[in-house]
Amino acid sequence: MDSHLLSILASIVLTFHVGVILFNLFGLVAIPLGAWRGWRFVRVFWWRALHLAILAVVALQAVLDRACFLTLWQSALRQGAGETASAAPLIESWVNRLIFWPLPLWFFAALYVGVWIYTLVLWRLVPPVLPGWTRRIIPRRPPSA
């Protein structure tokens, strides 16, 4: 395969990886804040289940002492493109340094398992609502005076 195409695919994988990270971080902040503020979307079942499932995959990979499969794909694509030293654009190299920390895998395992447990606690404290049940369970916030 063309090295330029492999490089583009690696950048796409990185972009997707950043999107997954942002989705996870957003959920960790938005769920408790949304429960407090009365935001209905934080109880949407499919969104919460996806958030919990993605964090479970991340935690499981770390516990099994495995690097994230997106990281592995990006690395393999970069190697296939013949890139050893980073010839990435400046913003891409910043993103790489931001999300790929030079720490041992046990640190990430503990961090990700802790985050997943936090998400389970949020599931219990701010339970999602199955479709069709939203109006009956989640009260509307009274208008501010």
Side-chain angles (χ1 to χ4, degrees):
M1 197 178 285
D2 180 30
S3 64
H4 182 67
L5 178 60
L6 290 173
S7 184
I8 290 171
L9 289 173
S11 295
I12 290 170
V13 170
L14 175 63
T15 302
F16 180 73
H17 199 176
V18 170
V20 168
I21 292 168
L22 292 175
F23 172 78
N24 287 333
L25 290 174
F26 174 76
L28 295 173
V29 173
I31 294 165
L33 183 61
W36 174 59
R37 300 291 298 157
W39 299 338
R40 297 169 65 97
F41 82 91
V42 299
R43 295 185 186 261
V44 173
F45 183 83
W46 69 265
W47 180 74
R48 294 287 300 281
L50 180 62
H51 185 248
L52 185 65
I54 290 172
L55 286 171
V57 168
V58 169
L60 182 63
Q61 287 176 142
V63 167
L64 295 175
D65 206 23
R66 305 272 186 222
C68 174
F69 64 91
L70 293 173
T71 301
L72 297 175
W73 288 348
Q74 179 193 359
S75 178
L77 289 166
R78 293 267 180 231
Q79 287 177 347
E83 298 176 17
T84 51
S86 179
L90 183 61
I91 188 69
E92 189 173 321
S93 60
W94 286 351
V95 168
N96 268 321
R97 283 194 300 262
L98 182 65
I99 66 174
F100 300 120
W101 302 343
L103 296 169
L105 276 177
W106 67 262
F107 172 84
F108 293 105
L111 177 67
Y112 297 149
V113 168
V115 168
W116 187 68
I117 290 170
Y118 171 69
T119 308
L120 284 174
V121 169
L122 286 177
W123 188 278
R124 178 78 174 135
L125 295 176
V126 186
V129 180
L130 291 171
W133 290 84
T134 306
R135 288 196 178 108
R136 288 177 258 169
I137 294 176
I138 304 173
R140 291 196 180 272
R141 289 191 63 210
S144 300

